[in-house]
Amino acid sequence: MTATTTLYSKSRNFGIIAHIDAGKTTLSERILLKTGEIHRAGEVHDGAATMDHMDLEKERGITIGAAATRAVWNGHAFTLIDTPGHIDFAIEVERSLRVLDGAITVLSGVEGIQPQTETVWRQAQKHAVPMIVFVNKMDRVGADFDRVTGQIRDRLGALPVPLIIPVGAADTFAGAIDVLGQRLLSWDANGLMTSSSLPSDLVATAQAAYAHAAAAAADASDALTNAYLDNDSLSVTEIATGLRAMTIARRAVPVFAGSAYKNAGIEPLLDAIIDWLPSPEERAAPTGSLAGAGVTVGTAPSDPLAALVFKVVHDDHGSLSFVRIYGGTMREGDTVWNATLGSTVRIGRLYVVHADQRVGVAEASAGSIIAIAGLKDALTGQTLSTKALPLTLETIQAGEPVVALAVEPANGGDRSRMIAALDRFRREDPSLRLESNPETGETVLWGQGELHLDVVLERVRREAGVDVKAGAPHVAYKETIDGQAVEVEGKVSKQNGGKGMYARVVLRVEPFDGAFAFENAVKGGVVPSAFFPAVEKGVRQAMAQGPLGQAVTGVKVTLLDGDYHAVDSNDMAFMVAAKDGVLAGLKRAHPVLLEPLMTVTVDAPAANAGDVIGDLQRRSGRVLGIEDHAGRVEVVAEVPLANLFGHTTDLRSLSQGRAFASAVYARHAASANPRAEAIAA
């Protein structure tokens, strides 16, 4: 439509998010093709997609790392980030949404809203990212635009406003209705778009959709509401103004449709990026922290620098740090302040990135997403600012790892190279955790799932040349208490002729609606304030490994009373007393083992429904729902993660390869698995 193209800044930073296999990367390829950035679209199934440039991505046909690129459409500069759809790589979506101004959510016209769709939608909501929806695969059997639009309303709680409505589906897919233009759009076999007048049998549908868009836009302001009431409708310009405001405020979601694979529906979507998604200037200024106080970041190029490192990668040329500049200007050779580390750092070469290619630039300013080569000590979530105004931006939160593997090199002499490679990937990916088991001497790698860890180990083999062996995967159990609050004493009293150790604390340990809380309620100086940090440190040590050997959650600890000795008391004594006291309290309050549960969604032929359900139940799964979709079924169940290893292989076998599944972390819950305590131990 592009009715608003001259009113706003001519840059857009947006991402493409979706459930796996909804068509994100295929859509990215078509966007690059239509904007002239590439001359032939690469196909995911051929391993030739521009955005999936890693060898593993080409071989597996999935996106593993978020990839950035640039494009230009109708005089507007786009920065596009294509994100993974698999839950194991959710950190890539999280850090992308943290720095983007808008997003396209891709939905399959056949499958509709899927588990990972809801996950990425919630991630976008957390960061207040405005979105438009592209209903893809309208050329596929079973595609149903109305059903998917209804799911947006019912399952995502959003207000869908269809602006491009497909005509037909599967073999009868014959173009789309341009709602605001009241015209028919068609695409030939080469993806060339033409427009024509609406046939008489589509006029009523087009007019009803226009009326819905006008009603939605009228809610944007009192002036538009009054105009709507006066005229029982709005003009195209009024709808554009109102719907843009509604979209940016996340009160409405414009919906488009087509087939990325068939090059159908791409041009209206490109216009939609301009018309409905915000420019950097239209997004609310971020807040930062300066000397412990909240501050609003200046977002003009002339303001002090405020930039966030949101991704770090390493390749044959060294490290590359991806940065979103929120305020100020950055130039090659500048010396800036790493506010997270409290140190100066020099800016080397600056690049704009097109997948795996780089184009050097001399400077970049507010609103830009750029890459910096060789940024010293860079990690995801760090803030670059000025030493005169050393503000820090909100960091990027990684998901808690739930699966672990014990790893070792096939050749003992390669251990140092293996550790170095794993540490490098840990620096790139904050959702990985690397630790050493002091009892067994094993190196343990924690991640988001089997696929996540499998990809990391394969990269170690390829990129570091180290043959790595891995043990059986195990999951991240936790523990909590299910009893009433208990009061306990922790005491250290050692006298051996010289200076001794003495500390006494009285603690209350109780269930808590949250992960953990510590409260200091002592009065009268029975425990000197100088020892409070040591008490809290001891409490936290006990929470790190409770009586069942797992991290403790859902517990509050309150320091009630205590005692000290003027000579023999010290930090170590109070830390040990607090730790011992909490562990004693946890034991008395009935510790309970918690295991991670996953929401598993299986899409299978209807003929295999019984086998699919039986397999899930054998894995201690609880079936939550079953839906029929044109000869196929969607089975949703909650299954202990420990019982899901090997599920994908078994599912392929029982369905002759025609079923597929996805699993999303749901929660930790009291274990119903009779093997869980033995597994955890």
Side-chain angles (χ1 to χ4, degrees), residues 13 68-70 78-81 308 310-311 313 315-325 330-333 346-365 367-375:
N13 299 318
T69 190
R70 292 291 186 96
F78 292 168
T79 297
L80 159 64
I81 296 182
L308 183 73
F310 68 93
K311 181 172 181 175
V313 298
D315 59 21
D316 294 340
H317 305 289
S319 69
L320 199 64
S321 302
F322 288 81
V323 174
R324 166 67 190 260
I325 303 176
M330 186 182 293
R331 300 174 180 85
E332 284 189 359
R346 185 179 180 278
I347 301 300
R349 294 295 306 274
L350 297 178
Y351 297 100
V352 295
V353 176
H354 176 60
D356 59 344
Q357 300 176 12
R358 310 175 186 177
V359 178
V361 294
E363 67 177 41
S365 54
S368 299
I369 292 177
I370 51 109
I372 307 172
L375 189 64

Side-chain angles (χ1 to χ4, degrees), residues 88-127:
D88 282 20
F89 308 109
I91 182 60
E92 297 289 339
V93 181
E94 174 69 18
R95 55 186 170 190
S96 298
L97 289 172
R98 172 69 176 78
V99 300
L100 291 171
D101 300 316
I104 301 171
T105 300
V106 182
L107 302 178
S108 166
V110 180
E111 286 82 18
I113 305 292
Q114 296 172 278
Q116 182 65 355
T117 311
E118 299 183 60
T119 300
V120 297
W121 191 273
R122 287 194 298 269
Q123 287 177 285
Q125 284 182 315
K126 180 176 73 173
H127 296 294

Side-chain angles (χ1 to χ4, degrees), residues 408-425:
E408 62 178 14
N411 182 343
D414 288 336
R415 176 168 295 277
S416 60
R417 291 172 58 206
M418 180 192 77
I419 297 296
L422 290 174
D423 187 62
R424 182 189 118 193
F425 295 133

Side-chain angles (χ1 to χ4, degrees), residues 348-605:
R349 294 295 306 274
L350 297 178
Y351 297 100
V352 295
V353 176
H354 176 60
D356 59 344
Q357 300 176 12
R358 310 175 186 177
V359 178
V361 294
E363 67 177 41
S365 54
S368 299
I369 292 177
I370 51 109
I372 307 172
L375 189 64
K376 184 180 178 182
D377 298 328
L379 288 175
T380 294
Q382 292 178 346
T383 300
L384 303 180
S385 59
T386 65
K387 192 171 184 179
L389 193 70
L391 61 84
T392 57
L393 297 163
E394 178 189 353
T395 190
I396 295 172
Q397 301 297 328
E400 186 175 352
V402 293
V403 178
L405 291 173
V407 296
E408 62 178 14
N411 182 343
D414 288 336
R415 176 168 295 277
S416 60
R417 291 172 58 206
M418 180 192 77
I419 297 296
L422 290 174
D423 187 62
R424 182 189 118 193
F425 295 133
R426 180 195 60 80
R427 291 173 61 84
E428 291 184 3
D429 182 352
S431 66
L432 286 170
R433 190 171 79 224
L434 188 62
E435 59 187 36
S436 177
N437 187 320
E439 297 179 0
T440 64
E442 292 177 319
T443 299
V444 181
L445 181 66
W446 288 87
Q448 299 296 304
E450 282 186 278
L451 178 60
H452 187 205
L453 296 178
D454 181 45
V455 166
V456 171
L457 295 184
E458 185 59 28
R459 290 187 66 189
V460 172
R461 296 182 184 104
R462 295 185 183 206
E463 298 175 29
V466 177
D467 187 11
V468 182
K469 298 189 297 183
H474 57 279
V475 305
Y477 289 90
K478 295 182 181 180
E479 60 181 272
T480 190
I481 55 176
D482 68 353
Q484 299 297 313
V486 298
E487 291 188 9
V488 291
E489 178 186 77
K491 187 174 181 180
V492 173
S493 180
K494 296 181 180 179
Q495 298 290 339
N496 54 9
K499 184 177 180 180
M501 287 183 67
Y502 180 82
R504 175 179 169 270
V505 293
V506 178
L507 304 161
R508 181 171 60 238
V509 178
E510 60 189 315
F512 176 64
D513 186 18
F516 166 69
F518 173 72
E519 182 179 344
N520 180 2
V522 296
K523 297 178 181 178
V526 292
V527 176
S529 60
F531 295 129
F532 291 165
V535 172
E536 182 173 356
K537 185 175 181 181
V539 170
R540 290 185 177 276
Q541 285 182 350
M543 298 292 290
Q545 186 172 352
L548 301 180
Q550 311 301 318
V552 181
T553 188
V555 171
K556 179 180 179 180
V557 178
T558 305
L559 176 62
L560 300 174
D561 198 0
D563 192 15
Y564 75 102
H565 189 277
V567 176
D568 293 340
S569 291
N570 55 38
D571 284 345
M572 178 62 71
F574 272 98
M575 185 175 69
V576 173
K579 180 179 179 180
D580 290 348
V582 172
L583 288 174
L586 291 171
K587 289 179 181 178
R588 284 177 51 192
H590 303 109
V592 175
L593 190 69
L594 302 177
E595 66 178 335
L597 301 181
M598 309 295 285
T599 299
V600 179
T601 302
V602 180
D603 184 298

Side-chain angles (χ1 to χ4, degrees), residues 2-10 12 74 76 244 274-275:
T2 65
T4 63
T5 57
T6 61
L7 301 180
Y8 305 98
S9 165
K10 294 193 172 185
R12 299 290 184 272
N74 197 21
H76 286 65
R244 182 181 183 84
I274 297 172
D275 288 335

